C-alpha cells in the first residue's frame, strides 16, 4: 500500500453516543474513509464501523468482477429486553477475500471467516434459554466446503438448575438442539 497517513476527527454528538470519522490516505491505493459510531443506553449498547475505499488503484478482483471498490461493515449490538430477556447481534462483512491482507491492521490479515450471529437469551433463577443463529462469510475461496465451519441455523439451548440446600439432591437439565449446516 506504500506510505499511508490517517487523520481522525472525533464528533462528541451526545453524552451517550459519538462518532469518529477517519480519512486514510494510501500512497498507492487512494483515499479510504472509515466511520466508527458508538452508542450506549440504559438497556442497550453497540457500535457500527463502516469502511470504504473507492477505486483501489492496485486491487485486482479475483472473483471476476470489475469493481475495485473496497468496503467493510462491522455491527455489534447488545440489548436488554427485560430483567430476564436479552438479545445480541454481531455482523461482520467485507467486500473481498483479500480485504484484511491489503487493508487490515495487525492480526486481522490472517482471517479466513467473518462471523455473523444473532441471539435471544432468557436467564431466570432456575431456567435459562438461548436461541441463536451463527453463520460465516468465508473469505478464502480455496477452503473446501467440508473444511469450512458449520453454520448453526438455529441453535436452541435449554438449561434448568433447581435450587437446593445442603445435604439435598441437586437436579439439573442441560439440553441443546442444533441444525448444523
Amino acid at each position: 500500500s506504500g506510505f499511508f497517513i490517517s487523520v481522525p476527527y472525533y464528533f462528541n454528538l451526545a453524552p451517550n453516543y459519538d462518532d469518529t470519522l477517519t480519512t486514510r490516505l494510501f500512497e498507492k491505493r487512494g483515499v479510504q474513509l472509515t466511520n466508527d459510531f458508538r452508542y450506549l443506553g440504559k438497556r442497550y449498547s453497540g457500535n457500527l464501523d463502516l469502511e470504504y475505499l473507492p477505486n483501489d488503484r492496485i486491487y485486482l478482483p479475483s472473483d471476476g468482477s470489475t469493481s475495485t471498490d473496497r468496503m467493510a461493515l462491522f455491527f455489534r449490538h447488545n440489548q436488554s429486553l427485560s430483567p430476564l430477556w436479552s438479545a445480541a447481534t454481531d455482523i461482520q462483512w467485507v467486500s473481498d477475500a483479500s480485504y484484511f491482507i491489503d487493508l487490515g491492521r495487525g492480526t486481522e490479515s490472517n482471517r479466513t471467516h467473518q462471523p455473523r450471529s444473532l441471539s435471544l437469551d432468557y436467564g431466570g433463577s432456575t431456567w435459562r434459554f438461548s436461541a441463536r443463529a451463527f453463520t460465516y462469510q468465508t473469505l478464502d475461496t480455496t477452503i473446501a466446503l467440508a473444511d469450512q465451519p458449520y453454520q448453526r441455523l438455529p441453535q436452541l439451548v435449554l438449561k434448568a438448575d433447581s435450587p437446593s440446600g445442603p445435604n439435598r439432591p441437586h437436579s439439573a437439565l442441560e439440553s441443546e438442539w442444533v441444525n448444523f449446516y
Side-chain angles (χ1 to χ4, degrees):
S1 298
F3 174 78
F4 77 91
I5 186 169
S6 294
V7 179
Y9 190 80
Y10 176 75
F11 296 93
N12 188 10
L13 302 171
N16 64 331
Y17 59 93
D18 60 18
D19 191 71
T20 303
L21 180 63
T22 304
T23 303
R24 294 175 73 193
L25 173 62
F26 291 95
E27 175 186 18
K28 297 179 182 177
R29 294 186 182 278
V31 177
Q32 179 187 43
L33 296 174
T34 66
N35 193 68
D36 180 15
F37 178 73
R38 301 180 306 170
Y39 56 92
L40 177 64
K42 290 181 180 179
R43 298 176 58 179
Y44 61 88
S45 66
N47 66 299
L48 173 64
D49 297 338
L50 301 169
E51 300 180 0
Y52 180 61
L53 173 62
N55 302 317
D56 187 335
R57 294 188 298 244
I58 61 175
Y59 172 64
L60 297 173
S62 60
D63 62 359
S65 73
T66 58
S67 176
T68 57
D69 293 351
R70 317 284 297 276
M71 297 166 273
L73 172 126
F74 308 97
F75 176 65
R76 289 182 183 89
H77 179 82
N78 294 299
Q79 178 80 43
S80 174
L81 302 170
S82 74
L84 300 176
W85 287 91
S86 63
T89 189
D90 181 1
I91 300 170
Q92 301 179 31
W93 174 85
V94 293
S95 59
D96 57 86
S98 59
Y99 187 89
F100 290 113
I101 295 167
D102 297 343
L103 304 170
R105 298 165 200 97
T107 58
E108 293 177 340
S109 63
N110 62 1
R111 283 193 185 185
T112 57
H113 298 88
Q114 288 292 99
R116 298 174 184 158
S117 65
L118 179 63
S119 65
L120 176 67
D121 298 297
Y122 170 83
S125 60
T126 302
W127 293 94
R128 289 176 301 287
F129 171 75
S130 294
R132 304 176 183 143
F134 290 93
T135 65
Y136 299 89
Q137 175 190 14
T138 300
L139 301 177
D140 185 351
T141 57
T142 63
I143 297 175
L145 185 60
D147 295 329
Q148 294 179 17
Y150 284 104
Q151 298 180 51
R152 293 173 274 174
L153 300 169
Q155 177 182 24
L156 303 174
V157 177
L158 178 65
K159 295 181 180 183
D161 193 0
S162 68
S164 62
N167 300 322
R168 293 187 184 168
H170 181 100
S171 60
L173 166 74
E174 290 192 26
S175 62
E176 180 176 19
W177 181 84
V178 182
N179 179 32
F180 290 106
Y181 176 75

